[in-house]
Amino acid sequence: MKAKVYVTIKQNVLDPQGSAVQGALHSMGFEEVAKVRIGKYLEFDLDTTDRAQAEARLKEMCEKLLANTVVEDYRFELEG
Amino acid sequence: MKAKVYVTIKQNVLDPQGSAVQGALHSMGFEEVAKVRIGKYLEFDLDTTDRAQAEARLKEMCEKLLANTVVEDYRFELEG
């Protein structure tokens, strides 16, 4: 089973990396870029066929390791 | 207009960050994790209403700044 996990910075938390990329894009002439937020994108292969169990386990992985839930949100999609 | 950009490491390129996360998950008891690949996920707000132009400009941003096309792939989605 494949999974895709998205970890993003919460809306009210500053994103200095995003601001830096936005500044770089502006200085390169991409003036239309009004906002940039940068997160992580993770692709997993899981040795399991039980969808419900995979969801519960992924949630646990996100809470314990993949996301810092104080300042980050996460969501995931299961495929197959 | 909003855009989502995904930057991933090409399939045949090593991903040490992904391997480290996989190792950490294994040591935490998540033995079902067979593979982890880590990429970047970027959310953009763009001051434009021309979808075709936004696509062309995003492609240019990816090629010039956001992705290292030697070792990374990118794809993006436009919304609204």
Side-chain angles (χ1 to χ4, degrees):
Chain A
M1 194 174 279
K2 287 184 184 291
K4 292 174 180 176
V5 180
Y6 307 84
V7 180
T8 48
I9 296 174
K10 283 183 200 276
Q11 279 307 325
N12 52 347
V13 176
L14 285 177
D15 178 7
Q17 192 187 6
S19 301
V21 166
Q22 187 186 357
L25 287 169
H26 278 194
S27 71
M28 291 167 72
F30 297 103
E31 302 288 348
E32 72 268 40
V33 180
K35 191 179 171 193
V36 183
R37 304 282 287 179
I38 300 184
K40 278 175 289 183
Y41 168 66
L42 301 94
E43 292 176 338
F44 283 78
D45 283 0
L46 300 173
D47 281 337
T48 177
T49 50
D50 183 336
R51 197 181 179 83
Q53 197 202 8
E55 272 186 25
R57 295 279 283 176
L58 266 174
K59 185 168 188 296
E60 206 181 330
M61 291 182 217
C62 288
E63 298 275 347
K64 286 188 177 169
L65 183 75
L66 305 177
N68 175 357
T69 53
V70 177
V71 291
E72 291 173 329
D73 291 320
Y74 65 85
R75 64 191 165 85
F76 53 79
E77 298 162 3
L78 279 166
E79 288 172 8
Chain B
M1 192 173 283
K2 286 184 183 293
K4 292 174 178 177
V5 180
Y6 307 85
V7 179
T8 50
I9 296 174
K10 284 182 200 277
Q11 278 308 323
N12 52 347
V13 176
L14 286 177
D15 178 6
Q17 192 188 3
S19 302
V21 167
Q22 188 186 357
L25 288 170
H26 278 195
S27 71
M28 292 166 73
F30 298 104
E31 301 289 347
E32 73 268 41
V33 179
K35 192 180 170 192
V36 183
R37 304 282 288 179
I38 300 185
K40 278 174 289 184
Y41 168 66
L42 301 93
E43 292 176 336
F44 283 78
D45 284 0
L46 300 173
D47 281 336
T48 176
T49 52
D50 183 336
R51 195 179 182 87
Q53 198 203 6
E55 274 187 25
R57 295 279 281 178
L58 266 174
K59 186 169 188 294
E60 206 181 330
M61 290 181 216
C62 288
E63 298 275 347
K64 286 189 179 170
L65 183 75
L66 305 176
N68 175 357
T69 54
V70 177
V71 292
E72 292 173 328
D73 291 321
Y74 66 85
R75 65 191 164 84
F76 54 79
E77 296 162 2
L78 279 166
E79 285 172 10

